[in-house]
Amino acid sequence: MGTYLYAITAAGHPLRLSGLNGVGDPAAELRTVTTKDLCAVVSDAPQELRAKRRDVAAHQGVQERLLADGAALPMRFGLVGTDDAQVAAVLEQDRDSYLQRLSEVDGRWEYHLKVERDEDDLLREIMRESAEVRRLNDRTRQNPGAYDDKVALGELISQEVQARQERARADIVARLAPAAVRTADVEPTKRHFLNVSFLVEREKAAAFSEAVHAEAGQRGDTYTFSLHGPLPPYSFV
């Protein structure tokens, strides 16, 4: 059947798990696997596990309860060990690493930020500021059959878009990083040129959120900032 993992905590964690259920249908009963210094919150793994809303909510609910009472290392949804003995063996084997990670995330939450920019506004900026883009654009308009000029124009615009997005990304992260403990990059999406997570101390969460909103205000309506959090510190485990 296997052992499903929710999170790892220090052995002294309060572990208030009453009223919570695990994944599966019927919902699995939660239990703990403990060693001298560490504890893993687990349950029996269901025969078939899919990322259904009910199971994802159960998984996150356990983690949020644990994080409310102290440091916890949230495991990704769907992580299954062979059995409790294997989980205990891993806790012992990687004891020092887990304890260090617990120290790093203690009293901290993850905030995830995505930023996108209106494409038309970016293209207008490139056209306004790049003489070479304007020259090639005029030539392709005057001569629609100028294939080489069209290719060169497309490549130049692509390079300009990438360079400007990278500068904007670096600038935004540099402005917000002082309000966080650490940052973790995530692959950009087709829409979002910036996709990054911040590890933030709980007592500074309001200040970090204000800094994000201030940055969004300075960028104007052509930028869209999407801030999600507080979240379990998945990106820093």
Side-chain angles (χ1 to χ4, degrees), residues 69-82:
D69 291 336
L73 303 181
M75 300 293 104
R76 295 288 183 182
F77 180 85
L79 183 61
V80 177
T82 303

Side-chain angles (χ1 to χ4, degrees), residues 112-118 168-169 171-173 175-176 191-194 196 198 208-228:
H112 188 72
L113 177 64
K114 293 182 178 181
V115 181
E116 62 179 301
R117 183 180 179 182
D118 180 79
R169 179 199 170 283
D171 186 46
I172 292 171
V173 172
R175 290 175 182 271
L176 297 177
R191 289 177 50 196
H192 305 94
F193 69 87
L194 185 150
V196 63
F198 296 85
F208 177 78
S209 181
E210 290 174 4
V212 172
H213 288 298
E215 182 68 19
Q218 291 180 3
R219 296 276 167 175
D221 294 338
T222 60
Y223 286 80
T224 301
F225 282 60
S226 300
L227 182 65
H228 303 278

Side-chain angles (χ1 to χ4, degrees), residues 84-154:
D84 287 12
Q86 185 207 29
V87 173
V90 171
L91 292 180
E92 284 290 353
Q93 176 182 326
D94 296 327
R95 168 188 172 278
D96 293 343
S97 177
Y98 287 134
L99 290 174
Q100 180 181 348
R101 291 289 186 178
L102 284 165
S103 176
E104 291 173 355
V105 302
D106 190 15
R108 294 161 179 169
W109 288 100
E110 177 173 334
Y111 284 81
H112 188 72
L113 177 64
K114 293 182 178 181
V115 181
E116 62 179 301
R117 183 180 179 182
D118 180 79
E119 184 176 348
D120 290 338
D121 179 70
L122 177 55
L123 293 176
R124 285 193 295 269
E125 178 184 278
I126 293 171
M127 184 70 70
R128 184 172 61 250
E129 297 181 358
S130 173
E132 182 63 11
V133 168
R134 293 196 302 273
R135 185 186 71 82
L136 288 170
N137 186 62
D138 290 341
R139 289 187 61 174
T140 57
R141 285 186 174 184
Q142 295 167 5
N143 184 8
Y147 176 77
D148 290 344
D149 286 339
K150 288 183 178 180
V151 171
L153 176 61

